[in-house]
Amino acid sequence: MVPSTTTAAATPPDGLIYDVRLTSVGPGNVTGQDVAYEPSNVDLAMKLHYLRGVYYLEGAAFEGLTVLKIKEPLFTLLNQYYVVCGRLRRAEPPSSRPYIKCNDCGVRFIEACCRKTLDEWRVIKDAALENLLTPRGVIGPELFFSPPVWIQLTKFKCGGVSLGLCWAHILGDVSSAVKFMNMFGKVIGGLKLEPPVSVAHSLHKATAHQDSANAVVGPLSIKKVSPPVGDHWIIANNSTMQSLSFYVSPSQLGQMKSVIGGDYGPFELISSILWRAVGRHRKGPEPRVVTVCKKGPETREDSHVSNSQLISTVRVGNDFSAVGEADLSELARLVKHGGGGEELGKIDEAVEREGGNIDVVLYGAKLTLVNMEDVEFYEFEWRGHKPIGVSYQIDGVGDEGCVLVLPGPCGGGDGEGRVVRVVLPEDEVVELKSELRKEWSIMND
C-alpha cells in the first residue's frame, strides 16, 4: 500500500463545506519502471475539458464504514487503473507531445463535511452550488504535480454522503469515468479483481482512430484556443458562462412529443427545443451548425480508459430562414439522423498535423448537444445501496455553450424523465428559463 499524507485545506467562503482534508491514494502494487501511456490524438483534443460527477447516497450505505476501509479497496482498484495515477509529461523537443508517466503518484482524495442535510441540499435549485461537492482540480501549470483524477467524499449533517469525481477528459469520455466509478463500488462490495493488464512495454500508444487516413476536410466540431494555454490546461471564456440544471418529467416529455411528433426520443425532443431557443435569443451569429456527441462503442477489455464517444456535426439547410423560427420536428430529425461520428477521423488528423501540440475545445466550439441517456450512471452500487441521484457536468465549455441530457433519478428508462444540464452565456440562460417556463411549464417551482 502507498502511504498518504493528510493536510487541511481552506474552508469554502460560503461555509457550507468545512473540515476539508486532502490525501493521495495510489496503487497497492508498483506498476513498473519507465512505464508510460501516450494519449491518442482524440484524447489530446479533449485535454482542456473535465468531467465532474456527484453520486448522492443515504447514510445507510456508509454505516460503520471508515475512510480507511474506503481507501483500502481503492488501492486494489488502482492496480488496474494505474494510468489515472500517473502524471503528465512532455516528450523531449522537438516533439513535446504530452504523455502520462505511470509513476504511481496516485489520485487525490478529499474528505469534507457539509452543514446541510442531504434533503436540504437536494432542494436547493442552484446548479453552481454542486461544484462544492466535486473537486476543482485542473491540469497545470506544473504538469508533474497535477493529478488527472480527484475523488471527494462529503458527509452531510444527516449522515448521508456524496461521492464527487473530477476526471480529466484526456483520460477518457464519460463512459470511461462512469465505468471507473462503477468498478469502485464493486470493489467496495468485495469483488476480487483479476491481475492488472501487462505493462511490459515501456510505452503504450493509445490507438488512433482508424478513419484518420480518410480525413480531408478539417473538423467543424473543434476550435483552436488563442493564445495557447501552455501547461495550464484551462480556457478563458469571452462570455460569463452560467450553468442551469432542470428536470423534465415524463408528462412534460409526453407534451413535447405530442407537439413535435415523429419517432423521436427524449434526447432529440429536448435538443430540438433548446437548439431553437438558443437561436432565438443569441445576439451574435445563430447556431446553424451544432455538434452532437453520443455514446460510442465499448472499449476493449484490455483498455480501461478511452475517448470513444461518437462526434458529429449537423447543420440546418439554406431553406431555413432562421434557427429561432425553425420547425422543431426538422431540428429533431437532424439531431437523430445527422451523423454517425464522422468528426472523429477529422479531429484525429487535425491533431496529428500539429504533432499532438494543439489547444482546442470541443464542447462549446459550436453549440454542443451531448446524449448521456445510455451511460450507466445508475449501475453504481455501494454495499447494496443505489444512489438516490447522480449528476454529471462538463467543465471547460466554450462560448457557444453545451447541453447535456442525462437519465432521470430512476435510471432513465423509456417511462422516466430526464435531467438536463445547460452551460450558456449568462444572458442567454435568463431568456432560456423564461421560455421554458412559458412554453413547456418547466422550472415553474
Side-chain angles (χ1 to χ4, degrees):
M1 293 185 181
V2 179
S4 56
T5 303
T6 303
T7 59
T11 301
D14 51 33
L16 285 175
I17 305 297
Y18 67 99
D19 197 15
V20 180
R21 308 178 81 73
L22 307 177
T23 62
S24 290
V25 182
N29 300 327
V30 176
T31 297
Q33 294 293 322
D34 299 321
V35 178
Y37 177 86
E38 186 176 354
S40 72
N41 291 327
V42 175
D43 294 336
L44 292 174
M46 303 294 174
K47 73 180 186 184
L48 301 185
H49 298 301
Y50 301 86
L51 292 161
R52 306 193 194 277
V54 184
Y55 296 74
Y56 296 96
L57 294 122
E58 294 178 328
F62 285 81
E63 189 173 344
L65 195 61
T66 65
V67 172
L68 179 60
K69 288 190 177 295
I70 295 173
K71 288 183 178 180
E72 286 176 345
L74 196 52
F75 292 130
T76 303
L77 176 64
L78 294 177
N79 287 335
Q80 294 277 358
Y81 280 88
Y82 62 89
V83 172
V84 310
C85 296
R87 295 294 183 267
L88 281 140
R89 300 284 194 274
R90 287 190 182 274
E92 293 296 323
S95 168
S96 300
R97 182 185 176 100
Y99 71 94
I100 297 175
K101 183 175 176 61
C102 301
N103 53 10
D104 299 337
C105 282
V107 303
R108 195 75 79 234
F109 191 93
I110 301 176
E111 304 162 52
C113 296
C114 180
R115 301 188 191 279
K116 298 282 187 181
T117 67
L118 187 55
D119 287 342
E120 288 171 342
W121 183 275
R122 284 172 55 78
V123 299
I124 299 175
K125 305 295 184 181
D126 185 353
L129 199 60
E130 201 167 55
N131 292 337
L132 297 176
L133 305 181
T134 57
R136 309 309 296 168
V138 297
I139 302 297
E142 296 175 310
L143 296 183
F144 48 86
F145 281 147
S146 303
V149 171
W150 297 60
I151 297 172
Q152 179 171 329
L153 174 72
T154 305
K155 299 177 181 178
F156 291 89
K157 186 169 66 174
C158 61
V161 171
S162 71
L163 280 173
L165 173 72
C166 173
W167 176 275
H169 212 314
I170 190 174
L171 293 173
D173 56 23
V174 66
S175 294
S176 292
V178 168
K179 183 179 179 182
F180 171 79
M181 290 300 289
N182 289 349
M183 189 60 69
F184 185 17
K186 290 176 181 178
V187 172
I188 286 287
L191 176 68
K192 303 298 182 184
L193 296 178
E194 297 294 326
V197 176
S198 171
V199 291
H201 298 292
S202 62
L203 182 68
H204 173 74
K205 188 178 190 314
T207 303
H209 194 270
Q210 295 180 355
D211 290 342
S212 62
N214 299 320
V216 178
V217 180
L220 292 173
S221 58
I222 61 174
K223 179 181 179 181
K224 277 191 176 183
V225 173
S226 182
V229 301
D231 286 344
H232 197 189
W233 292 358
I234 188 170
I235 69 167
N237 292 96
N238 295 318
S239 305
T240 301
M241 307 299 285
Q242 184 175 338
S243 179
L244 173 68
S245 182
F246 56 90
Y247 176 67
V248 182
S249 69
S251 62
Q252 288 166 336
L253 286 173
Q255 179 194 2
M256 292 175 181
K257 191 168 184 64
S258 66
V259 171
I260 298 173
D263 185 23
Y264 303 120
F267 174 69
E268 290 86 18
L269 297 172
I270 294 168
S271 294
S272 65
I273 290 169
L274 296 180
W275 185 1
R276 188 173 75 172
V278 172
R280 283 178 174 174
H281 303 299
R282 181 149 292 175
K283 294 180 173 60
E286 61 179 5
R288 298 188 71 85
V289 178
V290 301
T291 300
V292 179
C293 300
K294 300 179 181 180
K295 183 180 178 182
E298 292 295 327
T299 56
R300 304 186 319 272
E301 287 300 317
D302 62 342
S303 177
H304 293 299
V305 293
S306 172
N307 274 294
S308 60
Q309 71 271 40
L310 298 178
I311 304 169
S312 308
T313 55
V314 296
R315 68 168 68 233
V316 297
N318 294 330
D319 52 330
F320 280 76
S321 59
V323 173
E325 303 303 323
D327 182 75
L328 288 173
S329 63
E330 179 60 17
L331 295 181
R333 185 191 66 81
L334 288 171
V335 172
K336 182 174 183 178
H337 302 293
E342 74 283 345
E343 284 285 294
L344 281 174
K346 298 175 184 179
I347 294 171
D348 189 12
E349 179 70 15
V351 177
E352 184 65 28
R353 283 197 301 268
E354 302 288 339
N357 287 297
I358 185 172
D359 299 331
V360 299
V361 292
L362 169 77
Y363 305 106
K366 297 284 190 291
L367 177 62
T368 309
L369 311 173
V370 185
N371 187 348
M372 294 187 176
E373 290 179 307
D374 296 328
V375 179
E376 297 174 337
F377 299 109
Y378 288 90
E379 291 298 309
F380 181 85
E381 188 172 294
W382 191 271
R383 301 170 76 205
H385 297 268
K386 291 285 189 180
I388 59 175
V390 179
S391 175
Y392 267 74
Q393 61 177 306
I394 296 172
D395 265 8
V397 174
D399 294 314
E400 297 297 307
C402 185
V403 174
L404 278 60
V405 179
L406 295 84
C410 295
D414 289 342
E416 305 297 337
R418 294 293 185 270
V419 173
V420 182
R421 191 126 195 175
V422 178
V423 180
L424 289 170
E426 59 180 356
D427 58 330
E428 294 180 12
V429 169
V430 173
E431 299 288 350
L432 176 63
K433 290 168 70 173
S434 176
E435 179 169 327
L436 290 174
R437 288 192 182 103
K438 180 179 179 181
E439 296 193 9
W440 303 100
S441 301
I442 293 173
M443 295 189 300
N444 280 334
D445 52 346

